[in-house]
Amino acid sequence: MAARLGSPLVLGIGENEFFLGSDASPIVDHTRNVIYLDEGEMVTLSPDGYEIKKITNNVCVTPVVTELNWSVEQIEKGNFPHYMLKEIHDQEQTIMDTMRGRLDVENGTAHLGGIHDCLPRIERAKRFYITACGTSWHAGLIGKYLLEEYADIPVHVEYASEFRYRRTVLDSETVVIAISQSGETADTLAAIRKSKDQGALTLGICNVVGSSIARETHCGIYTHAGPEIGVASTKAFTAQVTVLSMLALMLGRRSNLSLAEGRRITKSMNSLGAVTRTILENSAPIETVARENALAEHFLYLGRGLNFPVALEGALKLKEISYVHAEGYPAAEMKHGPIALIDIKMPVVFIAPHDSTFEKILSNIQEVKSRKGRTIILTDKRTPDLERLADYLIEIPTTHRHIFPIVAAIPLQLLAYHLAVIRGCDVDQPRNLAKSVTVE
């Protein structure tokens, strides 16, 4: 017997066998048919089959069997030594899969069928909350920038673990966007239930069809990233940012965003597969950076504007799988404390696209260089200044400034991966971490 009360519960139905877990990912090796139990349900398994009932009144429940549409290739490593490296390389395809059938280049917009019925209420909303945990929270920070810039909607980004316990302004004119790779994150589910109780519209962004978040939110958007086996999230992050970019684009085009700008954005998004391939095919400089900095015990990641959350995500990846202490900061905040840490032993990773923030971040690079810090610069254009100031220069293709965070995340994932391998860490199953955090 197994019951769901607080934590998620998945039943896998095989041939003359059953599987129980808190997530579908470990079950998919054995069967594609799963049932996601609702809160307050229990299942009894026997040689004769299974039976699902309500805990409170013992009434039988007619279950909905979901078929996982993951291919064998998606759940195997193939020729890669680790799932994480495979999933980093998968992004050439998964980013495009996330946009397939949704991106409208001609009209400079996106079509998101999963939220169509709720669009009038979304457009009437006076405020948005984005709630998530970990990597999904970083994606939410990028979503905040895009939604506020494109659609003129005030957006608050909250850790789900904090959101569920503090007083928040929630009512019928509020939209709460909940982001989770697994769709089973306990704190995020609790935040959704709180939001619904207080009359807000809930919109889920998740990767697993039929998961708890997909079922409990009023509407939602699937990322279509496929199964992610490695504990450190990679392709799920870029898929989430891609979905948030399309959501912001769609809402912007329905209000004040011009057709010309919409077309520029959609054309850049449409080229993300080719851009990702270019990065993956030219990753040798990233391996060099990892090899020559593998003994460093502290890293600092700095970015401005949209790229500050990318700095946070880069630092998190390094912490998760390399066990190296790393911090992400807004570059301008470096002088408000972290600059005291900088010395010859401190590698500092700068995210430095050639946009309106470039001159400012160039000044930050000079500050670090003058204190003999090791500078690792990720940019979309080599310049004499950058070549003079960089100990390591990683160049990636130029793209629209609002799409750059998706592109910039990939080399930072590779940096964390190679550092972890060199340091002899378990890349796919780092210590103390779980793929889905299904308990508080």
Side-chain angles (χ1 to χ4, degrees):
M1 298 181 72
R4 171 169 182 171
L5 198 62
S7 299
L9 183 62
V10 182
L11 170 65
I13 306 168
E15 291 187 14
N16 301 314
E17 57 184 356
F18 301 99
F19 304 87
L20 288 166
S22 58
D23 189 276
S25 297
I27 293 174
V28 74
D29 275 339
H30 308 284
T31 179
R32 300 301 172 82
N33 297 315
V34 299
I35 294 171
Y36 295 91
L37 272 73
D38 285 327
E39 186 74 358
E41 292 180 353
M42 68 177 186
V43 57
T44 304
L45 302 177
S46 72
D48 299 323
Y50 64 90
E51 186 177 53
I52 299 175
K53 294 182 177 181
K54 291 285 186 184
I55 295 172
T56 52
N57 56 18
N58 217 32
V59 172
C60 287
V61 173
T62 303
V64 175
V65 179
T66 300
E67 184 177 356
L68 301 173
N69 59 350
W70 298 340
S71 67
V72 173
E73 290 75 16
Q74 286 179 304
I75 58 175
E76 292 181 344
K77 284 187 289 192
N79 295 322
F80 293 95
H82 299 98
Y83 278 111
M84 183 178 178
L85 185 60
K86 174 189 178 291
E87 287 158 8
I88 291 171
H89 280 259
D90 281 350
Q91 290 171 112
E92 178 186 343
Q93 186 62 43
T94 57
I95 293 170
M96 301 308 292
D97 287 344
T98 297
M99 295 185 290
R100 184 163 286 109
R102 293 168 165 173
L103 207 60
D104 182 348
V105 178
E106 179 63 27
N107 293 301
T109 189
H111 303 291
L112 302 170
I115 64 170
H116 183 267
D117 291 344
C118 295
L119 260 181
R121 192 169 166 191
I122 292 171
E123 291 182 302
R124 288 196 306 269
K126 291 186 177 178
R127 71 189 71 82
F128 279 29
Y129 281 94
I130 297 177
T131 188
C133 301
T135 285
S136 298
W137 185 78
H138 297 155
L141 287 174
I142 297 171
K144 169 186 168 68
Y145 279 93
L146 296 174
L147 283 163
E148 290 187 338
E149 181 153 345
Y150 291 174
D152 290 330
I153 298 169
V155 181
H156 311 274
V157 183
E158 300 270 0
Y159 283 112
S161 54
E162 297 293 326
F163 182 90
R164 64 185 292 191
Y165 288 116
R166 77 175 192 86
R167 187 180 182 277
T168 43
V169 182
L170 296 170
D171 55 28
S172 61
E173 295 181 316
T174 305
V175 173
V176 176
I177 301 173
I179 310 173
S180 166
Q181 186 281 135
S182 66
E184 302 293 346
T185 310
D187 286 320
T188 309
L189 273 166
I192 289 168
R193 290 165 188 157
K194 171 185 173 177
S195 303
K196 290 170 74 176
D197 287 345
Q198 296 186 28
L201 177 75
T202 56
L203 188 163
I205 296 175
C206 64
N207 191 35
V208 181
V209 175
S211 59
S212 296
I213 286 176
R215 287 180 291 119
E216 293 201 26
T217 46
H218 294 105
C219 59
I221 309 164
Y222 286 117
T223 53
H224 299 308
E228 190 177 62
I229 309 300
V231 167
S233 183
T234 51
K235 63 180 181 177
F237 173 74
T238 52
Q240 288 166 354
V241 177
T242 301
V243 163
L244 288 162
S245 300
M246 289 190 292
L247 177 63
L249 174 65
M250 184 192 73
L251 294 177
R253 286 288 294 121
R254 292 172 72 91
S255 54
N256 300 318
L257 190 69
S258 70
L259 173 61
E261 181 64 7
R263 283 177 173 169
R264 278 192 288 270
I265 295 165
T266 52
K267 285 178 181 176
S268 291
M269 294 183 76
N270 221 20
S271 67
L272 277 169
V275 169
T276 302
R277 182 167 61 253
T278 299
I279 294 170
L280 295 170
E281 288 175 350
N282 297 278
S283 63
I286 302 168
E287 293 185 57
T288 300
V289 174
R291 186 169 57 253
E292 296 184 6
N293 292 275
L295 297 180
E297 292 301 324
H298 307 278
F299 272 70
L300 192 61
Y301 287 70
L302 300 175
R304 281 180 175 261
L306 269 171
N307 294 299
F308 160 52
V310 180
L312 290 174
E313 176 61 12
L316 177 62
K317 286 287 132 333
L318 198 66
K319 284 182 278 196
E320 283 181 315
I321 62 169
S322 302
Y323 316 141
V324 174
H325 173 249
E327 297 292 338
Y329 262 87
E333 289 296 303
M334 179 186 68
K335 288 183 275 190
H336 294 270
I339 198 168
L341 298 170
I342 293 170
D343 59 19
I344 197 167
K345 296 179 181 179
M346 171 71 88
V348 184
V349 180
F350 288 93
I351 304 162
H354 281 72
D355 59 17
S356 60
T357 68
F358 179 74
E359 292 302 323
K360 294 292 185 182
I361 206 157
L362 187 64
S363 172
N364 298 132
I365 297 170
Q366 291 167 336
E367 293 269 7
V368 169
K369 196 67 177 174
S370 69
R371 288 159 177 80
K372 307 199 183 303
R374 276 183 263 169
T375 53
I376 302 165
I377 302 174
L378 177 63
T379 186
D380 57 350
K381 182 182 178 184
R382 287 178 177 268
T383 66
D385 280 339
L386 290 180
E387 290 181 335
R388 175 174 55 84
L389 293 169
D391 289 299
Y392 306 93
L393 194 59
I394 301 169
E395 187 176 7
I396 59 177
T398 300
T399 188
H400 192 283
R401 65 189 181 93
H402 291 155
I403 307 306
F404 186 83
I406 300 173
V407 177
I410 297 167
L412 300 184
Q413 294 167 355
L414 285 167
L415 175 60
Y417 170 80
H418 289 300
L419 252 164
V421 171
I422 291 165
R423 291 170 66 95
C425 301
D426 188 337
V427 174
D428 287 332
Q429 294 181 314
R431 67 190 183 204
N432 305 331
L433 295 177
K435 182 60 186 169
S436 300
V437 182
T438 56
V439 294
E440 185 176 357

